[in-house]
Amino acid sequence: MTVHTTRMLIIGSGPAGLSAAIYGARAGMQPIVVQGLQPGGQLTITTDVENYPGFRDVIQGPWLMQEMQAQAEHVGTRMMWDTILSVDLQSGPPFRAIGDSGDVYEGETLVIATGAQAKWLGVPGEQELGGKGVSACATCDGFFYRGKKVVVIGGGNTAVEEALYLTNHSQDVTLIHRRNTLRAEKILQDRLEANPHVSTLWHKKVERFLHDETTGALRALLLVDTITGEESEFAAEGAFVAIGHAPATELFKGQLELDDSGYIVVQPGTPKTAIPGVFACGDVMDHTYRQAVTAAGTGCMAALDAERFVAEREFEAVKLAAQAG
Ligand code: FAD
Ligand code: NAP
């Protein structure tokens, strides 16, 4: 077991965590980033990113995250291949976190940037058919459904992007949504409408995923009409659940205030939690905007506030020493 100490411990390596690292490293905080199970965060499971400032041409999500990591390392960030399993926020600073590796991480400040994870419908057959027809990531698994009939469930940006992306592999993509209006941005809705390979099925909820008795793989979805209550079967070989993401805050339950949806509560307009020295940034504290650029922005804010916190503590320590002397 190794103990790693730092002035700024960052949990999470998405745009929020890496932006905090870039600012923290440049301020001499010698940050440590614990990357977790998804190094680079959510943008590593998408393809085209068209709204991150600074790039006129379409860039790729995984590429953007590689660049952010390279920049963070270039200015002195230590990246750790580990996942935090528990944290102790009550007896800090230093705040202590224990990794899956058994290593211990101690940070004079803690920046929580654990982001969000895909939500599941929670209906029968969904988990059982994981890897056998049901997925939550078209860019990861879409290739396996080349030439097959696939569906996407959801009505937000993710669902529409996933449906459009899947047309690279399949000419028969259906978007299934529980209402008849989409939350997705207008530009994406326009692209969906213009794409001849995507159809829409409105007012339908998935009741159950049905498997083929011989192959054990997905064969159809049992749907219920949200207006009439009528049930129907819809044949498909691939189903992509794209109904949003839930904040990754399990670790902090009982130690930090969470809102009704599980997001970390911060002081309005800041990344400050109720515990001095503990900051939260990105999707883990933002249920409204949830964009790469806002995650990066709040990551920057967290680093600046962490730096001030350390400077104030050091100033106080010097003052006390001078008074004592
Ligand atoms: P995340 O990117 O979710 O990163 C969280 C990090 O925390 C991960 O590295 C994870 O491994 C780590 N972590 C979690 N738990 C632990 C733990 N216990 N220990 C250690 N590490 C942990 N936004 C845009 O602006 N433009 C887009 O085009 C766009 N496209 C998207 C496409 C898709 C398919 C999705 C899902 C999202 C998209 N978004 C887009 C939204 C954007 O990806 C998020 O807003 C952004 O990634 C949030 O950044 P974050 O750093 O807060 O969290
Ligand atoms: P979202 O905006 O929360 O949309 C979730 C969709 O899933 C909604 O249409 C919702 O239906 C539906 N849904 C939720 N629970 C459901 C259930 N149990 N059964 C059936 N349908 C259900 O999530 P998102 O699309 O993942 O986007 C998350 C954030 O990331 C957003 O802020 C988005 O802007 C951002 N993002 C941005 C981009 C981009 O900029 N290009 C791309 C992807 C994501 P209702 O509409 O009926 O509520």
Side-chain angles (χ1 to χ4, degrees):
M1 185 264 282
T2 310
V3 179
H4 308 273
T5 56
T6 171
R7 293 167 123 189
M8 189 192 283
L9 175 61
I10 302 169
I11 309 180
S13 55
L18 292 177
S19 300
I22 292 166
Y23 275 80
R26 286 174 48 78
M29 300 281 281
Q30 295 162 327
I32 287 178
V33 172
V34 183
Q35 306 193 62
L37 293 175
Q38 192 176 55
Q42 292 170 63
L43 280 189
T44 59
I45 59 161
T46 191
T47 48
D48 297 356
V49 174
E50 298 177 61
N51 51 13
Y52 198 83
F55 305 96
R56 189 187 46 189
D57 298 326
V58 175
I59 54 167
Q60 299 298 300
W63 175 83
L64 178 63
M65 297 319 301
Q66 273 167 22
E67 291 299 306
M68 274 194 211
Q69 180 177 330
Q71 188 179 359
E73 287 181 310
H74 178 69
V75 289
T77 303
R78 279 180 286 168
M79 302 294 297
M80 299 292 177
W81 287 97
D82 207 350
T83 297
I84 299 300
L85 297 185
S86 68
V87 290
D88 174 7
L89 308 185
Q90 310 308 319
S91 34
F95 304 101
R96 224 173 132 84
I98 299 176
D100 190 31
S101 64
D103 283 7
V104 173
Y105 301 88
E106 286 184 352
E108 201 174 334
T109 59
L110 176 67
V111 174
I112 300 169
T114 48
Q117 282 163 1
K119 278 191 203 163
W120 293 96
L121 292 162
V123 299
E126 186 177 48
Q127 291 310 313
E128 297 84 331
L129 287 166
K132 288 185 236 158
V134 179
S135 164
C137 178
T139 44
C140 318
D141 299 331
F143 180 79
F144 301 117
Y145 301 93
R146 185 169 284 266
K148 295 185 175 168
K149 182 170 173 167
V150 296
V151 300
V152 176
I153 300 124
N157 276 347
T158 302
V160 173
E161 283 193 343
E162 302 258 277
L164 291 170
Y165 172 78
L166 283 166
T167 61
N168 292 319
H169 301 298
S170 164
Q171 303 219 324
D172 191 350
V173 180
T174 304
L175 184 79
I176 300 176
H177 184 35
R178 62 184 176 184
R179 297 185 296 126
N180 67 347
T181 48
L182 297 170
R183 263 175 212 276
E185 287 166 65
K186 175 87 173 62
I187 188 167
L188 290 174
Q189 295 196 30
D190 291 346
R191 280 182 206 163
L192 191 80
E193 240 170 69
N195 192 310
H197 303 304
V198 190
S199 329
T200 42
L201 205 53
W202 302 121
H203 294 300
K204 296 282 186 283
K205 259 176 71 175
V206 179
E207 279 284 280
R208 165 187 293 274
F209 292 94
L210 305 169
H211 67 276
D212 183 289
E213 291 295 341
T214 319
T215 62
L218 179 73
R219 76 166 171 82
L221 292 82
L222 180 65
L223 303 177
V224 63
D225 191 292
T226 55
I227 306 281
T228 64
E230 197 181 317
E231 282 188 346
S232 58
E233 269 192 27
F234 192 84
E237 287 168 278
F240 293 86
V241 178
I243 60 166
H245 287 73
T249 49
E250 197 58 39
L251 275 179
F252 311 105
K253 273 188 185 157
Q255 300 198 60
L256 285 176
E257 189 188 348
L258 307 180
D259 71 11
D260 291 345
S261 309
Y263 289 85
I264 294 175
V265 174
V266 290
Q267 294 170 28
T270 79
K272 293 177 184 168
T273 69
I275 301 177
V278 177
F279 306 92
C281 52
D283 281 16
V284 77
M285 49 70 90
D286 168 19
H287 48 78
T288 311
Y289 302 106
R290 296 177 295 172
Q291 302 296 307
V293 68
T294 48
T298 52
C300 155
M301 289 160 70
L304 294 177
D305 281 343
E307 186 196 333
R308 281 181 200 129
F309 176 84
V310 168
E312 275 162 26
R313 268 170 53 90
E314 284 173 358
F315 179 70
E316 285 305 317
V318 169
K319 214 166 72 180
L320 280 177
Q323 281 165 359

